[in-house]
Amino acid sequence: MRFAIINTFIRQQAGNIAVIVALSLIPVMIASGAVVDLGRAYMVKSRLSSALDAAGLAVGSSVSNDDLPGVLTRFFNANYPADKLGVPVNPSLSIDDGVIQISATATVETTFLKLNTMDSITVRALSLIHISEPTRLGI
């Protein structure tokens, strides 16, 4: 009797489409969530790049090189507030052969990708500023 019920259940075809659609919705939902999280990461990268550009231009236009890291930090923090989306790491500064190189990273907490064990996305940005008068900064 039990085998007859199981065989009847296996032969039933009603509702097969509903099961297939339900199972296929799982990867679609994960992909949709990934699009949202990656869009947020792209927005943070854009803000990070803009803040680095502003800070780099401020460093490049400084009259003296006494406090270049301070100028960098002040302009970066003014253009990339810490209370906004994405937690930034302090930017690094290097000056070599008339080129100011500033880089920074920011961590974006994910919302939907946490379901796929990805808790955060690290975003990196780099800004290069070529100085027309490198001797002015003592370079």
Side-chain angles (χ1 to χ4, degrees):
M1 174 85 177
R2 288 187 182 179
F3 294 117
I5 294 173
I6 292 173
N7 285 334
T8 304
F9 180 73
I10 291 174
R11 286 190 202 120
Q12 289 295 322
Q13 294 181 359
N16 285 348
I17 299 296
V19 172
I20 292 171
V21 168
L23 290 176
S24 65
L25 282 179
I26 294 170
V28 169
M29 295 302 289
I30 290 173
S32 300
V35 167
V36 170
D37 285 337
L38 292 175
R40 291 173 62 218
Y42 182 77
M43 183 177 64
V44 168
K45 182 175 175 76
S46 176
R47 284 185 41 236
L48 189 63
S49 294
S50 295
L52 284 179
D53 288 343
L57 291 173
V59 168
S61 64
S62 292
V63 178
S64 69
N65 62 353
D66 293 338
D67 189 30
L68 292 180
V71 170
L72 170 70
T73 302
R74 283 193 303 274
F75 272 83
F76 180 77
N77 290 338
N79 289 291
Y80 195 102
D83 61 341
K84 299 293 182 184
L85 180 65
V87 180
V89 175
N90 291 333
S92 65
L93 168 70
S94 69
I95 302 173
D96 189 31
D97 291 332
V99 177
I100 299 172
Q101 179 176 332
I102 302 172
S103 62
T105 60
T107 303
V108 181
E109 296 296 321
T110 60
T111 304
F112 295 100
L113 287 177
K114 282 184 183 178
L115 300 173
N116 199 21
T117 69
M118 184 181 246
D119 294 333
S120 64
I121 299 172
T122 302
V123 178
R124 292 176 180 80
L126 173 70
S127 183
L128 298 173
I129 293 91
H130 297 274
I131 304 171
S132 60
E133 300 173 28
T135 56
R136 182 171 48 89
L137 290 177
I139 301 171

